[in-house]
Amino acid sequence: MAFPLRVLLVEDHAFQRRLGLRMLAELGVQTPLEALDGPTALDLLEGGGEAVDLVLVDLDLPGMDGIELIRRIAERRSARAVAVVSAMDAAVQHTIALMARAAGLRMLGCIEKPMTADRLRELLQAFSAIEAVAADDDGDIHSHERIADAIAAGEVLPYFQPQVEMRNGRVVAVEALARWRRSDGRVLPAAQFISRVEQQGATAALFERTLSESARHWRAWQSQGIDLRISVNLSAADLADAAAADRIEHLVRQYGMPPDRVILELTESSAITDRVVGLGLLARLRLKGFGLSIDDFGTGYSSLAQLTQLPFTELKIDRSFVSGIERMPKNRATVAASIDLARRLGLAVVGEGVERSEEWATLAELGCTMAQGWLVSPAVPGEDIPA
Ligand code: C2E
Ligand code: CA
Ligand code: CA
């Protein structure tokens, strides 16, 4: 596989640089560029030549270090993406990745020294894949298209991803995830359009649609003898209206679905806009019997305060902690502590994004009770849930 990319390798060691350039050439990168320090790299990037796609940065450079170089690249947007080459531990790499992303730069990941051709190929493939999705996105969703219209037209509907009890593998719940069925037959996942829903202020419409479709499927499953709880995602913006609790209850009861079969998932980072209304609403929803789940736990800012002050019944451990957990001691420790905390607070715990059996085994060992992820099943249409 050839990569028609412009790649710049910044590395001070002559031997490692030659090795890296040779690997890049062998992977089909036509003219790999090189620089032995930060200033030279910046000159090259800003010299007015053809744009560079990817910069591989050795962190430990003389003079301007790799971190400062990445910051400057981000500041001036002088490359499309960066990746770090380093012998540093995962926490340091993660901090740098956060910094790069915060500055709006695409951070592809990290290559541990010594660099191998396999790892380098993975990285180039990741870059090509992201670019393909980005190109697709732009081609697919035209800027004039209003997601609110698509929701009203019934083109946006929930698929359902199973959640299983880890001790026996039984499916006890599903999460409703929005999908956009396009007229050409393609189905876009929420990740590709949810930010537009938010920008266009259409989260309430999406929520009502998703909830009533969920309740409709619940009734159909029920008639086949299948009893599942359904989790539905809720944006904090939808908590700003005091009448929402009654409306939500009415929506599900229309289909004969009792509120205790519904769990509303709120992301930890979604600040409750109008705290007074929002808090009152959460309390009211609990009184009506709805479950409340704290989504993406561990990625927001005020986890502990929110956990103790808000009436949550469930905690979902974010995918970023689950991915590769068996070989990442810090993630493992964080998840172990979260599970322990949940148990002490009497909350259910769901591990998200479980893709591999090693991840499943580690979560089970740490006492996680429920799991959700591609290892079990992706989200599927409601009609396919019984099977
Ligand atoms: P989320 O609530 O954290 O949902 C989990 C996301 O991870 C889903 O992406 C799901 O398809 C994906 N996923 C599940 N298992 C795996 C796995 O094993 N590996 C990996 N890599 N990914 C997995 P999706 O459906 O694209 O949704 C993205 C986000 O959009 C959701 O994150 C949620 O925050 C939001 N969202 C989805 N549906 C709705 C909705 O109806 N309303 C609102 N307000 N937000 C929604
Ligand atoms: Ca969720
Ligand atoms: Ca989540």
Side-chain angles (χ1 to χ4, degrees):
M1 180 172 182
F3 296 97
L5 302 176
R6 278 174 61 87
V7 179
L8 167 62
L9 174 64
V10 192
E11 164 69 73
D12 57 319
H13 265 267
F15 173 70
Q16 303 223 0
R17 200 168 60 242
R18 270 206 312 279
L19 199 69
L21 289 172
R22 189 184 328 137
M23 283 183 207
L24 284 167
E26 281 168 8
L27 286 170
V29 172
Q30 265 151 20
T31 39
L33 308 167
E34 58 182 303
L36 44 128
D37 59 19
T40 317
L42 288 174
D43 281 349
L44 235 162
L45 289 170
E46 288 159 19
E50 216 181 307
V52 168
D53 296 301
L54 174 61
V55 188
L56 299 171
V57 181
D58 175 23
L59 279 191
D60 190 14
L61 292 168
M64 180 192 297
D65 69 12
I67 300 175
E68 177 60 12
L69 174 60
I70 290 172
R71 196 190 63 77
R72 296 211 192 177
I73 293 173
E75 190 178 83
R76 305 183 208 179
R77 302 254 185 283
S78 43
R80 319 221 344 243
V82 294
V84 160
V85 184
S86 153
M88 287 292 177
D89 76 22
V92 174
Q93 297 171 7
H94 186 67
T95 308
I96 295 167
L98 285 179
M99 176 196 82
R101 288 195 187 114
L105 192 64
R106 189 169 285 155
M107 181 73 181
L108 277 191
C110 219
I111 300 189
E112 266 175 52
K113 280 190 166 177
M115 183 148 70
T116 66
D118 280 347
R119 184 69 187 100
L120 203 50
R121 180 184 305 112
E122 260 176 45
L123 211 72
L124 296 179
Q125 279 168 348
F127 182 80
S128 307
I130 292 172
E131 288 290 292
V133 169
D136 242 30
D137 260 14
D138 291 341
D140 253 17
I141 312 179
H142 299 291
S143 50
H144 68 264
E145 276 188 280
R146 299 233 330 126
I147 186 95
D149 297 339
I151 295 170
E155 285 173 28
V156 180
L157 73 188
Y159 275 31
F160 300 91
Q161 184 174 38
Q163 295 179 348
V164 300
E165 270 178 2
M166 297 194 79
R167 64 191 162 88
N168 54 20
R170 227 160 51 95
V171 178
V172 288
V174 291
E175 176 176 2
L177 293 164
R179 296 289 177 265
W180 187 354
R181 271 203 186 141
R182 315 273 299 162
S183 46
D184 61 6
R186 299 200 35 201
V187 178
L188 303 185
Q192 284 182 29
F193 59 84
I194 211 77
S195 59
R196 277 171 197 249
V197 175
E198 281 162 5
Q199 277 160 24
Q200 297 178 11
T203 55
L206 175 65
F207 173 70
E208 295 199 355
R209 170 93 195 149
T210 304
L211 187 64
S212 57
E213 273 297 288
S214 297
R216 192 175 66 76
H217 281 290
W218 180 86
R219 192 175 58 184
W221 300 332
Q222 200 73 15
S223 71
Q224 298 175 61
I226 299 164
D227 183 32
L228 296 172
R229 273 175 286 133
I230 306 186
S231 294
V232 179
N233 295 282
L234 185 60
S235 296
D238 304 329
L239 295 174
D241 145 26
D246 286 334
R247 219 169 40 239
I248 293 172
E249 181 181 17
H250 179 70
L251 263 175
V252 300
R253 290 222 188 258
Q254 269 185 328
Y255 293 90
M257 186 179 194
D260 69 3
R261 303 276 76 197
V262 181
I263 297 177
L264 301 168
E265 293 193 1
L266 271 164
T267 52
E268 196 190 342
S269 46
S270 63
I272 295 174
T273 30
D274 180 338
R275 285 193 74 84
V276 180
V277 177
L279 296 178
L281 187 58
L282 289 181
R284 214 169 278 135
L285 287 166
R286 270 305 293 142
L287 286 176
K288 290 179 185 294
F290 288 98
L292 295 177
S293 178
I294 185 159
D295 205 353
D296 304 337
F297 184 71
T299 62
Y301 300 98
S302 54
S303 344
L304 292 177
Q306 290 205 349
L307 261 189
T308 50
Q309 290 168 7
L310 302 182
F312 287 108
T313 56
E314 179 186 272
L315 180 159
K316 293 188 86 172
I317 295 176
D318 190 62
R319 184 168 83 226
S320 60
F321 294 100
V322 172
S323 177
I325 186 172
E326 78 281 3
R327 53 187 157 77
M328 302 175 89
K330 288 189 180 173
N331 284 7
R332 195 191 152 100
T334 308
V335 171
S338 306
I339 292 172
D340 187 47
L341 185 63
R343 191 185 301 125
R344 287 167 192 261
L345 294 173
L347 306 178
V349 185
V350 183
E352 277 193 324
V354 182
E355 293 181 359
R356 298 156 45 249
S357 51
E358 291 85 350
E359 293 161 356
W360 172 287
T362 309
L363 284 176
E365 188 191 315
L366 296 177
C368 186
T369 47
M370 295 218 286
Q372 176 183 348
W374 294 343
L375 181 66
V376 179
S377 166
V380 298
E383 293 74 22
D384 297 350
I385 282 292

